[in-house]
Amino acid sequence: MATEYGQGYAHMDRPDLRATGVGERRHRLPAGLRAPIEARTWKEFGYTLLSLPIGLASFVFAVTMLSLGAGLLVTFIGVPVLAGALAGCRGIGALERTRARGLLGLEVAPPEPLRPKGGGAMALVGAVLKSGASWRHLLYSVLLMPWSIFSFVVAVVFWSYGWLMLTYPLWFWLFPMYGGQDGIQLYGGDGHHIYLDNPFEIGATAATGLLITLATPWIVRALTTVDRLMVHGLLGPSRLATRVVELESDRGVVVDTAAADLRRIERDLHDGAQARLVALAMDLGLAKEKLAEDPEAAARMVDEAHGEVKVALQELRDLARGIHPAVLTDRGLNAALSALAARCTVPVQVEVDLASRPAAAIEGIAYFTVSELLQNISKHSGASQASVDVWRSENRLMLQVTDNGAGGADVTAGSGLAGLAERLDAVDGILVVDSPQGGPTTVTAELPWRQA
């Protein structure tokens, strides 16, 4: 495992990108100037335009079917009609998630699937009616119309007025030639009229149009932010369903980790202590046979077997310490981490500030997290000193391991640090790595505090 962690210290520099200047030449214009011509802006504007007809259609469908179903509830027909309305709204939600993904770049997972209790149409009808996601889709179908009308009007007005005013110097001559007036009428009444017809007024109009054109993409982006919130909040899975999926994923990680640990223990026993004990039994058997013929040779063999016994016992102690060290059970994290630091090849300063002990499971995870990080420091960091700090912050157990090594550790590089992050995530923990090239490296882990 420590070897895998070492891969996290791989060199992360990208001289090829720096040499070509790809990142520097990607955008020569500031974001405010390039926004009106960006593809993202036009996609968001297209999303706003499409929202109006879709919002009208979804509102008519939802209100009509809901009213029809509610009116027919006095009869049995109203129940399937209402279920059909909810099912149709779920279909509208699927369309809206696809539209948001294509035009807004918003990835929203579908809601939790229906789970009818039993077979048949009535079980499906009951599942649709009982699903909270169905009613959220109905709410979205109703709310989309008023919001789409507002966003459509705002977006179209700003876009049209901005571009018309910006291009006014190109087409203002149409007014005196075909309209019989000097230009756009800014004010008129009681024989007094103000027209935008001289060069200064034409330039001021174009400048105002430029400001409106530059501001419009951000206005449209603000409008589509509300759309993003509506799609994510009403058309995606509920928080409870999301939490269930996370727990199922974490359970899978825990099961896989436990299976991997069992395989490691079995391999260590088979290749280490078990092999030595088999060899020891064979040596003792040979010594027993030579005891009468050659007592001196038998004594040497018994002496060698005694040494093998000591080695086997040490391997068993190391294996037991790897499963769960006795010092951790007896004396807690402070003593256990101090013992870890004593075995590290780098001088390590340990500071544990805990008024009480956490639950045994959390304590064990904290111990093995520090153990793996110290092994990483010993074998791969090139550090001359390190420190371990443990403290409690409200309902979290905090661990911080720091070294002055070469740095370059990256939890996203597919190294063993990623596996450690997955293990912590399985118990609602967090692993944060701060490791610039040249060091120092600081790894901070958070674990939930559960009282022993």
Side-chain angles (χ1 to χ4, degrees):
M1 184 70 72
T3 302
E4 295 178 357
Y5 286 176
Q7 299 171 5
Y9 283 82
H11 191 61
M12 298 300 295
D13 240 355
R14 295 295 303 275
D16 53 331
L17 292 183
R18 293 200 309 273
T20 57
V22 171
E24 297 176 0
R25 296 201 301 264
R26 183 174 298 172
H27 297 302
R28 293 185 180 275
L29 290 175
L33 294 179
R34 69 174 184 266
I37 59 175
E38 279 187 325
R40 173 182 175 180
T41 298
W42 290 100
K43 286 182 178 181
E44 291 174 340
F45 183 58
Y47 184 93
T48 304
L49 297 181
L50 285 175
S51 292
L52 181 60
I54 294 176
L56 290 172
S58 63
F59 181 86
V60 170
F61 172 81
V63 172
T64 301
M65 293 295 292
L66 182 63
S67 302
L68 181 61
L72 294 175
L73 279 179
V74 293
T75 67
F76 179 75
I77 301 177
V79 175
V81 170
L82 187 58
L86 296 177
C89 291
R90 291 177 73 102
I92 294 173
L95 171 65
E96 287 297 277
R97 287 192 298 272
T98 303
R99 188 165 68 100
R101 181 168 57 250
L103 296 179
L104 300 182
L106 177 65
E107 292 287 343
V108 177
E112 56 275 18
L114 299 174
R115 293 183 174 87
K117 297 180 179 179
M122 292 309 301
L124 182 60
V125 168
V128 172
L129 293 174
K130 292 179 181 179
S131 172
S134 300
W135 294 99
R136 293 201 307 273
H137 281 66
L138 174 65
L139 179 60
Y140 177 87
S141 300
V142 174
L143 293 179
L144 181 60
M145 187 197 73
W147 172 248
S148 64
I149 292 175
F150 173 79
S151 59
F152 180 91
V153 170
V154 172
V156 169
V157 167
F158 272 88
W159 265 123
S160 57
Y161 272 87
W163 284 105
L164 286 172
M165 294 173 69
L166 177 62
T167 59
Y168 183 56
L170 302 178
W171 55 271
F172 79 97
W173 54 270
L174 293 173
F175 286 94
M177 183 171 292
Y178 297 106
Q181 61 186 43
D182 297 331
I184 294 179
Q185 182 177 338
L186 188 63
Y187 169 79
D190 297 332
H192 180 67
H193 304 278
I194 298 178
Y195 294 100
L196 303 176
D197 54 356
N198 61 57
F200 173 77
E201 292 172 346
I202 293 173
T205 301
T208 305
L210 177 62
L211 295 177
I212 296 176
T213 301
L214 294 177
T216 300
W218 307 102
I219 296 173
V220 174
R221 193 158 300 173
L223 295 172
T224 55
T225 298
V226 178
D227 288 291
R228 287 184 172 93
L229 294 175
M230 290 175 59
V231 172
H232 188 273
L234 296 177
L235 302 183
S238 64
R239 291 184 179 180
L240 179 59
T242 303
R243 182 59 178 160
V244 169
V245 172
E246 291 177 355
L247 291 177
E248 289 177 348
S249 176
D250 292 344
R251 181 182 62 184
V253 172
V254 170
V255 171
D256 293 341
T257 301
D261 289 340
L262 288 176
R263 288 193 298 269
R264 176 180 60 82
I265 293 170
E266 181 183 7
R267 183 177 62 252
D268 292 345
L269 283 173
H270 183 272
D271 298 339
Q274 181 179 347
R276 291 188 181 278
L277 291 175
V278 170
L280 175 63
M282 295 176 63
D283 291 343
L284 289 176
L286 292 175
K288 181 179 179 182
E289 293 178 357
K290 290 182 174 291
L291 185 61
E293 301 175 359
D294 190 353
E296 293 182 0
R300 287 197 301 271
M301 297 179 69
V302 170
D303 186 60
E304 293 175 358
H306 183 257
E308 289 293 322
V309 168
K310 290 182 178 180
V311 174
L313 286 174
Q314 184 60 42
E315 289 182 351
L316 289 174
R317 289 193 190 99
D318 293 340
L319 183 60
R321 187 183 296 114
I323 297 172
H324 196 85
V327 65
L328 179 63
T329 303
D330 297 338
R331 301 173 58 189
L333 273 175
N334 197 350
L337 296 183
S338 297
L340 274 179
R343 294 196 299 271
C344 186
T345 58
V346 175
V348 181
Q349 180 180 356
V350 179
E351 184 173 349
V352 179
D353 183 14
L354 296 176
S356 59
R357 295 179 62 175
I362 300 300
E363 198 172 52
I365 294 173
Y367 172 85
F368 288 111
T369 298
V370 175
S371 174
E372 297 292 355
L373 292 175
L374 289 182
Q375 288 185 44
N376 200 26
I377 292 173
S378 297
K379 297 182 179 180
H380 307 289
S381 70
S384 61
Q385 61 182 6
S387 63
V388 176
D389 295 297
V390 182
W391 71 97
R392 179 181 178 181
S393 177
E394 296 180 354
N395 61 340
R396 307 291 285 182
L397 176 63
M398 309 294 296
L399 313 171
Q400 191 170 81
V401 180
T402 304
D403 69 79
N404 63 347
D410 186 4
V411 73
T412 64
S415 66
L417 288 173
L420 185 58
E422 289 180 356
R423 290 193 177 197
L424 293 177
D425 184 64
V427 292
D428 289 337
I430 301 173
L431 185 74
V432 179
V433 179
D434 180 18
S435 182
Q437 290 294 338
T441 296
T442 301
V443 181
T444 305
E446 290 187 24
L447 289 167
W449 179 273
R450 296 169 189 162
Q451 194 64 40

